[in-house]
Amino acid sequence: MFPALRHRNFKLFWFGQMISLIGTWMQNIGQGWLVLKLTNSPFLLGLVSALQFLPMLFLSLFAGVIIDRFPKRKILIFTQTCLMLTAFVLATLTALKMITYWEIVFLATIMGFINTIDNPTRQSFIIDLVGKEDLMNAISLNSSIFNGARIVGPGIAGILIGILGYSICFYLNALSFIAVIVGLILIDVNGGTSRAILQKKEVLNDIKEGLKYIKNTPVIIVTILMIAVLSTFSMNFNVLVPVFAKNILHEEAAGYGFLMSAMGVGALCGALLLATLSSKGAKPFYLIAGGFGLGLFQIIIGFQSYYWSSIVLLALSGFSMITFSASANTTIQLNSENKYRGRVMSVYSLVFGGVTPIGALYAGGLAEKFGAHIAFIISGVIGAVYVLYVIGFQYKYSFGKGVNIQDE
């Protein structure tokens, strides 16, 4: 059922990520609730999220060139160490009661610069650990621990915030990076296949060559555009859920944490289902159904205001979101040549996370002016309509011409 776990390198990476991601979700929950406590402003919460992803918007294309030129394992050891130190600083300032909103903004921006390189490196590193045959299984398993952490982390964070305060979430996140750093040190993997060639070229030419490759590969360009639209308008849960929990459902930190955990439960179920279906390959149906379901369940969330129905609907949203995003990731990587993969995945990270500043400001501003329920409805409508557009006008052009590149 899980052939990717036969690979020693992937097991080391996977178990390290499993621990680290729990800490990451604890920090996400603590940071979002702390910002609301300090400011009581959905827009300022959206601004933090925007600035955290702003570097990715402008620097992702350059990050792709770096990834294709240097060993991915060494890049990840560096970035994970930097993220650990940043979490420790945030924890210490919070514990000493010296933290302010603008210090959170500054540290979030620093993490954004680091993640601009870290995220696409991790995405493109997976195929080096398992090869193409087990890639979809590996991506699904990676998504399963991300969303398993989304179940465990927010629930623990919500309880710990009420008992011990915010800083414990940030300290535990800093400690959790040790697991993934140790795993990366133990991994033994060969270098990239095209590094010697790329070192002879100009950076801007490398970027241009990668963008041209994406444009001329229909299945990649159409999938990337779907990610761009849905990431901008339909994946702003970190902004909308805390506002919805506080202002519509009238919940405290623990209630908010369990709402995010419910979303993680749904996402974990989606990831495990994709893992079990991985032997059948990356089907366009999973991509389309996940994207449309994401929009549909957001619309329904906006039309109700009950805690338990919100839990169910967020679980279904999480299921749809991971079905869409994991299928998109697999589709793009399976149809990318090795020598372009770092640059292709940097564009993937750009449209998946780099558009978050736009989406966060959009969601935060909309929620502040009209309320979180209206923001959910409008976001869901945009996402669902775009998926229907792809079905009607781009499906045959793109998914009928996938190339499924074989290993060189």
Side-chain angles (χ1 to χ4, degrees), residues 294-309:
L294 177 61
L296 176 64
F297 293 125
Q298 282 191 312
I299 294 170
I300 300 173
I301 288 172
F303 278 109
Q304 58 82 53
S305 57
Y306 299 100
Y307 182 72
W308 290 106
S309 58

Side-chain angles (χ1 to χ4, degrees), residues 13 19 26 109 143 172 176 182 232 247 318 323 334 361 372 390 406:
F13 183 71
I19 297 170
M26 292 178 67
T109 306
S143 297
L172 289 174
S176 73
V182 170
T232 303
N247 296 341
T323 301
L334 285 177
L361 292 176
V390 171
Q406 299 298 314

Side-chain angles (χ1 to χ4, degrees), residues 52-320:
Q52 189 162 342
F53 287 91
L54 191 64
M56 197 176 294
L57 181 61
F58 294 105
L59 301 175
S60 283
L61 297 179
F62 295 95
V65 176
I66 293 172
I67 296 165
D68 280 336
R69 290 187 176 191
F70 297 99
K72 298 180 184 70
R73 187 178 71 90
K74 292 182 179 180
I75 294 174
L76 288 172
I77 291 173
F78 172 76
T79 55
Q80 294 286 304
T81 302
C82 291
L83 289 169
M84 178 177 67
L85 295 174
T86 307
F88 183 79
V89 171
L90 176 62
T92 302
L93 289 173
T94 305
L96 295 175
K97 301 189 184 301
M98 298 171 59
I99 197 70
T100 66
Y101 171 74
W102 293 109
E103 287 169 343
I104 295 174
V105 166
F106 176 75
L107 291 171
T109 306
I110 294 297
M111 286 188 283
F113 278 104
I114 301 167
N115 278 318
T116 298
I117 297 176
D118 183 81
N119 285 341
T121 306
R122 280 189 290 110
Q123 297 289 344
S124 58
F125 189 49
I126 293 175
I127 199 167
D128 294 344
L129 304 178
V130 300
K132 285 200 169 186
E133 182 180 352
D134 295 326
L135 178 62
M136 183 174 177
N137 191 260
I139 290 174
S140 299
L141 283 172
N142 223 39
S143 297
S144 73
I145 58 170
F146 179 84
N147 292 290
R150 182 183 283 182
I151 299 169
V152 177
I156 295 174
I159 294 170
L160 289 179
I161 289 169
I163 299 173
L164 300 174
Y166 297 94
S167 61
I168 186 65
C169 297
F170 307 147
Y171 275 125
L172 289 174
N173 181 42
L175 289 173
S176 73
F177 283 103
I178 295 174
V180 70
I181 292 170
V182 170
L184 286 165
I185 291 172
L186 295 174
I187 284 173
D188 180 20
V189 66
N190 294 327
T193 58
S194 56
R195 191 166 302 117
I197 298 173
L198 283 173
Q199 285 177 335
K200 299 176 183 178
K201 297 182 178 181
E202 296 292 334
V203 171
L204 292 179
N205 286 340
D206 288 350
I207 294 173
K208 183 179 178 180
E209 187 180 61
L211 292 175
K212 184 178 179 181
Y213 174 76
I214 291 170
K215 179 184 176 183
N216 292 332
T217 311
V219 65
I220 294 180
I221 185 65
V222 171
T223 303
I224 281 179
L225 289 174
M226 280 187 71
I227 297 168
V229 173
L230 268 66
S231 293
T232 303
F233 298 105
S234 301
M235 295 187 188
N236 296 303
F237 293 100
N238 284 347
V239 176
L240 293 181
V241 174
V243 180
F244 192 80
K246 187 173 186 291
N247 296 341
I248 306 297
L249 303 179
H250 308 293
E251 293 291 328
E252 297 298 329
Y256 163 51
F258 286 120
L259 284 170
M260 294 299 288
S261 291
M263 193 172 174
V265 170
L268 176 61
C269 292
L272 291 175
L273 178 61
L274 283 179
T276 60
L277 297 173
S278 61
S279 61
K280 298 180 180 180
K283 304 292 185 183
F285 172 77
Y286 306 150
L287 185 74
I288 297 297
F292 184 78
L294 177 61
L296 176 64
F297 293 125
Q298 282 191 312
I299 294 170
I300 300 173
I301 288 172
F303 278 109
Q304 58 82 53
S305 57
Y306 299 100
Y307 182 72
W308 290 106
S309 58
S310 296
I311 282 184
V312 173
L313 289 166
L314 282 171
L316 292 170
S317 296
F319 181 93
S320 300

Side-chain angles (χ1 to χ4, degrees), residues 320-341:
S320 300
M321 183 174 68
I322 205 62
T323 301
F324 168 75
S325 59
S327 298
N329 188 323
T330 306
T331 298
I332 290 171
Q333 293 214 52
L334 285 177
N335 290 282
S336 298
E337 294 182 39
N338 286 344
K339 63 182 179 180
Y340 294 110
R341 188 166 288 110

